[in-house]
Amino acid sequence: MNNRKSIFFKYFAICSAVILVSFCCLGTVLLLVSSRYFLDEKKSLMLKNAKALALFSAEQIIDDPEGWKEQVSQEFKSYSISCNADFLLCSEDGFVVIKTGSAEDGVPADRLKSFNSEGKYVYSSLGGALGETCHIMGVSFRGNGPQYYILAYSPKSAQDNYVRNIMEIFIVSAVLVLIVVMFLVYFAATKLTSPITEIAEVAKKLGSGDFSVTLPDYDTAEFRQLSIAFNEMAANLKSYDTMRNSFLANVSHELRTPMTSIGGFVDGMLDGTIPKEQQRYYLKIISSEVNRLTRLVKSMLNLAKIEAGELKPSMSVFSALDPIVETLVTFEGKLEAKHIEIKGLDVDRVNLYADCDLIHQVMYNLIENAIKFVNDGGYIEFSFNPVGYMTVISIKNSGEGLEEDELPLVFDRFYKTDKSRGLDARGVGLGLNIVRSIIQLHGGKIMVRSVKGEYTEFVFTLPNKSRED
């Protein structure tokens, strides 16, 4: 597996990239802010000191016209040290009277004319007089008539050194923080991706047929939801696997029994064990078993089509009584033999909007099941109750009824009650399962209720019109 394609690598790389970009952006902002802060503070300080020196110089010139330079020169040096800047005192013709730095002895006079008593900032070398480009704050004043200029200046290198020191501190701090953050990101990425690795391992076991595996309850909400869904899937797969094994076992049993009978009777005819005068009797048994196999295969094919979504109902409007009456006519002999009373059919037309052939199969299976379990001299009762666009239909028969623990199982494939096995050995146990599948295909529901020793009732819903009507 390519590590560069793993979630861990991508998560770690993305987080690292975001952190690095964030540090770069923060460094850039810090560089701009610190540079701007240095310049603003320097300009403010130089202006304040230049004005103070201008006032002091003007007073000294007036008070001591001959010896003012020495006093002013000492003050210049003191201010230069305190504000970390150099100062020039120039006459109006550009001659440098006093200086604290290594500037030239002359400044172009035309460059001085832009400065006034309020102070002005320029970024210049004053025609090379300062030796390098500097931040300059100039103030003009008069002393006993002549115009003088005080220039406070700081070389650009000072600003560069200040910013460099700030950035060095930032870089050292950023590297230390980055190391710690990378470690935390690595730990977080490991913790985040470890459940995925665990899920992958469990999925492999699940794929190999071990449906007993489960995932723990994770702390992370998303992984907890995934764990719950995965465990539910594993439980469903285990249930489906059990159902599949049971289905195969039942199918094998249902196929093996008639095929064994058919094979045994045919072999008996071929080897003479069954005399010719009895062969017709056994051929009828073989025919019955073949019909049983045919019903089993047909039922299984119908179920497969419904579950695969290949069986599309052909919807039409018809009376619910039509398939019921047709089915009752088919079982007329059995109804008379058991003296069964039919109730609830003396109603007005009850329309259904469904596939007539499929509903006929539903009615056939339910009525056949009712006749099988109704007691001699008992009854089969029908009821119809339209509710909105659905109609609630019930088929109730008197008789012994079902045990409470049997009710959830009657719609399972190949399920037969012990009594059913004794009453009808030809059944395949798929009738009620097909009934449920057809009703669900029409958007309806079916349930069974029973009171032991009294009755069994199947209640189901079918549409009586289109939802769009």
Side-chain angles (χ1 to χ4, degrees), residues 10 28 65 80 99 111 114 122 124 148-149 163 218 235 260 266 286 296 306 310 315 340 360 405 451 467 469:
K10 291 181 178 179
T28 302
S80 175
K99 63 179 180 179
R111 299 294 183 93
S114 62
V122 295
S124 171
Y148 291 95
Y149 298 90
V163 174
Y218 296 108
T260 300
V266 171
I286 292 174
L296 174 61
I306 293 175
E310 297 176 358
M315 308 297 280
I340 300 172
H360 188 280
D405 58 350
V451 175
R467 294 190 181 188
D469 293 343

Side-chain angles (χ1 to χ4, degrees), residues 387-424:
V387 180
Y389 65 89
M390 303 293 284
T391 296
V392 181
I393 303 174
S394 89
I395 301 178
K396 179 179 181 181
N397 67 274
S398 60
E400 185 177 348
L402 297 171
E403 299 287 350
E404 186 175 349
D405 58 350
E406 290 180 318
L407 295 179
L409 305 174
V410 295
F411 295 107
D412 291 349
R413 296 179 185 179
F414 300 107
Y415 176 76
K416 294 183 182 180
T417 64
D418 293 336
K419 185 178 179 183
S420 175
R421 295 183 185 276
L423 289 173
D424 187 1

Side-chain angles (χ1 to χ4, degrees), residues 154-215:
S154 176
K156 184 179 182 299
S157 58
Q159 180 184 9
D160 295 339
N161 291 334
Y162 172 81
V163 174
R164 186 181 303 109
N165 291 334
I166 293 292
M167 293 308 298
E168 287 176 355
I169 296 173
F170 171 77
I171 291 173
V172 172
S173 303
V175 170
L176 294 177
V177 172
L178 193 61
I179 293 173
V180 175
V181 170
M182 286 300 182
F183 175 77
L184 294 176
V185 169
Y186 180 85
F187 176 77
T190 303
K191 187 175 179 61
L192 178 66
T193 57
S194 59
I196 299 176
T197 304
E198 187 174 4
I199 292 172
E201 292 298 325
V202 172
K204 290 179 182 178
K205 294 180 180 179
L206 196 63
S208 63
D210 182 7
F211 300 112
S212 62
V213 294
T214 56
L215 289 173

Side-chain angles (χ1 to χ4, degrees), residues 202 213-217 226-237:
V202 172
V213 294
T214 56
L215 289 173
D217 189 14
L226 179 61
S227 173
I228 293 173
F230 195 94
N231 290 336
E232 289 178 353
M233 180 186 69
N236 290 334
L237 288 175

Side-chain angles (χ1 to χ4, degrees), residues 361-374:
Q361 187 175 359
V362 168
M363 300 301 183
Y364 185 94
N365 289 347
L366 291 177
I367 293 173
E368 181 186 33
N369 189 75
I371 293 173
K372 185 188 302 182
F373 292 101
V374 70

